[in-house]
Amino acid sequence: MATALKNLSEYNSDNLIPIDGKRFGLVVAEWNKAITDTLCKGAYETLVKHGAKPENIERITVPGSFELTLGAQFLAQSSDIDAVICLGVVIKGETKHDDYICHAVAQGITQVGLKFNKPIIFGLVTTNDEQQAWDRAGGKHGNKGVEAAAAAIQMLGVQLID
Ligand code: RBF
């Protein structure tokens, strides 16, 4: 299983460009708020660690992960924002709601990224239970928010190469 091998807080800094002039949007779902706040902290601290100015990081909250896509679009349509990081936690329940939400978010985020030609990062933790989610929000598998922020920075570097 990939997550058993990869610690989400470990990434290769060699690929990351300086981001002191860049502006970031964070879209954070309120479902499973304690966990998504921890993901958000990991993402925020990673951006600041790599030179982002706190005033250049805009956070918005949306009700649940399903709304991450529209939240991302609100931010992406602003010419000020260079990259958007979407953070949510979807935990399996008795029904297939998790499947519908995850597929909708994956497709929606892809569309927003292609429409606005900006990195829109899929920072969705999808697990069978709450403990597995905590394991990926600063627990034994690291923090998905850190990984998502590193992906955003790396993608901004990729854009520069043409
Ligand atoms: N949103 C999440 O971010 N994570 C969840 O695990 C989650 N589970 C849900 C389970 C059910 C049965 C429903 C109806 C909604 C759930 N949502 C969850 C909320 C969803 O993303 C969205 O905010 C609401 O459906 C309103 O559009």
Side-chain angles (χ1 to χ4, degrees), residues 2-56:
T3 50
L5 299 174
K6 177 171 167 49
N7 184 302
L8 295 163
S9 294
E10 290 172 7
Y11 56 90
N12 182 2
S13 295
D14 297 348
N15 294 329
L16 306 188
I17 59 161
I19 52 166
D20 32 302
K22 299 291 184 189
R23 292 178 64 93
F24 294 86
L26 293 170
V27 193
V28 186
E30 283 185 324
W31 267 68
N32 303 302
K33 185 176 184 314
I35 312 177
T36 59
D37 278 346
T38 309
L39 298 176
C40 185
K41 188 166 181 284
Y44 180 90
E45 287 175 352
T46 303
L47 295 175
V48 171
K49 181 176 150 191
H50 285 276
K53 297 188 180 67
E55 63 269 27
N56 287 342

Side-chain angles (χ1 to χ4, degrees), residues 29 31-32 63-67 88-92 95 97 101:
W31 267 68
N32 303 302
S65 292
F66 188 81
E67 286 76 31
V89 172
V90 178
I91 299 174
K92 257 193 200 312
T95 63
H97 70 273
I101 294 171

Side-chain angles (χ1 to χ4, degrees), residues 20 29 70 84 91 93-94 98 132 135 157:
D20 32 302
L70 188 56
V84 178
I91 299 174
E94 290 181 352
D98 56 301
Q132 288 180 343
D135 289 345

Side-chain angles (χ1 to χ4, degrees), residues 72-81 84 112 115-116 118:
Q73 179 159 291
F74 290 159
L75 289 170
Q77 70 188 359
S78 159
S79 57
D80 282 355
I81 298 282
V84 178
V112 175
K115 179 174 169 191
F116 290 100
K118 293 179 183 182

